[in-house]
Amino acid sequence: MAPVPISSIKVGHIDDVQELRKNRPKTIPERFVRDMSERPTPAMALSPPSSDMPVIDFSKLTKGNSEQIQSETLKLADACESWGFFQVLNHEVDLTLMEIMEKSSREFFMLPLEEKQKYQMAPGTVQGYGQAFVFSEDQKLDWCNMFALGIEPQFIRNPNLWPKKPATFSETVEVYSREMRKVCQNLLKYIGLGLGLEGDVFEKMFGEAVQAIRMNYYPPCSRPDLVLGLSPHSDGSALTVLQQAKGSPVGLQILKDQTWLPLQLIPNALLINIGDTIEVLTNGKYKSVEHRAVAHKDKDRLSIVTFYAPSYEVELSPMQEFVDEKNTCKYRRYNHGEYSKHYVTNKLQGKKTLDFAKI
């Protein structure tokens, strides 16, 4: 979420998918129709939604006896290494707060278009309402409306993009984001311990961590086989936390063993994934996993995503604990602010952005 100057990027006309769905429910403009190679596999041809994805009981880490802490930390380490994605139960975030955040997000997306457009995302930036990561007039668009805000540090905030409606929206985002920051800090502590490092290693390294929030709204689509809700990508963060709205259909898919695997999320759980930063720091031991979202013919889907990453001032490279004769250094040393700028000024293309850091 590095602040990027608005440039003279020409993105052409971008249809608002909610308005399309409302006014022309059967129409799929050409800019949304994916090339054959990119189109999602029909639902009936996919494996059933995965129930094998690891589930971590957060309370065993924070309140368990020594045996439970050790067992759950090992389970967490295995989840990071073998999946890069895991769900967290008993995460200590108030469920009422999560419901209020979900309700506020939905209320925002249901506002009239002219109200939402007061917070329009400018071309070349990733904060505000609209579609991020669009850099040309012929680029394929995602079947999704986004609303994103920089949270911490304060200088990344754009006060003009914090909405006045719904009335309690901004206050809810503040409270929710504080809780998500705690979740990320706690998980990084146990991820560090699972790697055989000091528990505060990431907190010390990251400095004043950067945090952002993005709400994604995927309206129903008459031809979900032609579009993507969100293009395949890995996250540039250290950790990403996703809350999926209750009643949402299965929409998130991860690339595992070269196959797109749908993820069935447990109600009230938080979905966590490893970002590019952790892949670099562990020299590829833990990998950021490519993922995407698909649309549904009859149901809408809402997700609320928190991104947590090091300060823009931090220099990153593989930690010495993960480099030896067998595991040569895979990534160069770089400035995280430069990487963030590179990430948000390129379209989403799988893990291509990480080429920036590769040796």
Side-chain angles (χ1 to χ4, degrees), residues 103-105 107-108 111 163-170:
K103 182 172 179 283
S104 295
S105 302
E107 283 176 0
F108 175 81
L111 289 171
K164 306 287 188 292
K165 296 178 184 175
T168 58
F169 181 89
S170 294

Side-chain angles (χ1 to χ4, degrees), residues 2-151:
V4 178
I6 297 170
S7 62
S8 55
I9 294 170
K10 298 272 192 292
V11 297
H13 175 70
I14 298 179
D15 281 298
D16 184 283
V17 287
Q18 283 175 261
E19 297 300 303
L20 262 179
R21 175 69 186 182
K22 186 165 68 179
N23 301 320
R24 292 181 285 157
K26 301 293 185 191
T27 302
I28 312 292
E30 190 58 34
R31 280 194 80 182
F32 291 92
V33 177
R34 295 286 172 153
D35 296 336
M36 288 297 293
S37 61
E38 293 183 308
R39 291 180 189 177
T41 311
M44 65 283 293
L46 285 168
S47 311
S50 175
S51 56
D52 299 331
M53 186 175 46
V55 178
I56 303 300
D57 186 338
F58 194 66
S59 64
K60 287 183 180 175
L61 293 171
T62 57
K63 298 189 178 83
N65 58 39
S66 57
E67 190 178 314
Q68 287 174 319
I69 294 169
Q70 185 179 15
S71 171
E72 209 67 12
T73 301
L74 287 171
K75 192 174 167 186
L76 174 61
D78 183 61
C80 292
E81 187 164 2
S82 58
W83 279 77
F85 268 79
F86 54 92
Q87 298 190 68
V88 174
L89 291 173
N90 303 319
H91 41 65
E92 299 178 358
V93 180
D94 184 69
L95 297 183
T96 304
L97 174 61
M98 290 172 64
E99 285 177 16
I100 293 168
M101 186 67 222
E102 180 187 317
K103 182 172 179 283
S104 295
S105 302
R106 190 173 287 280
E107 283 176 0
F108 175 81
F109 283 114
M110 296 307 143
L111 289 171
L113 181 61
E114 56 270 23
E115 181 66 31
K116 292 182 286 190
Q117 285 180 331
K118 292 177 183 176
Y119 313 104
Q120 195 75 19
M121 190 181 290
T125 67
V126 290
Q127 292 197 52
Y129 174 77
Q131 282 218 18
F133 308 104
V134 182
F135 300 100
S136 69
E137 296 181 78
D138 58 356
Q139 188 178 328
K140 293 297 183 183
L141 300 174
D142 292 333
W143 194 263
C144 177
N145 282 339
M146 300 176 174
F147 184 57
L149 295 168
I151 303 294

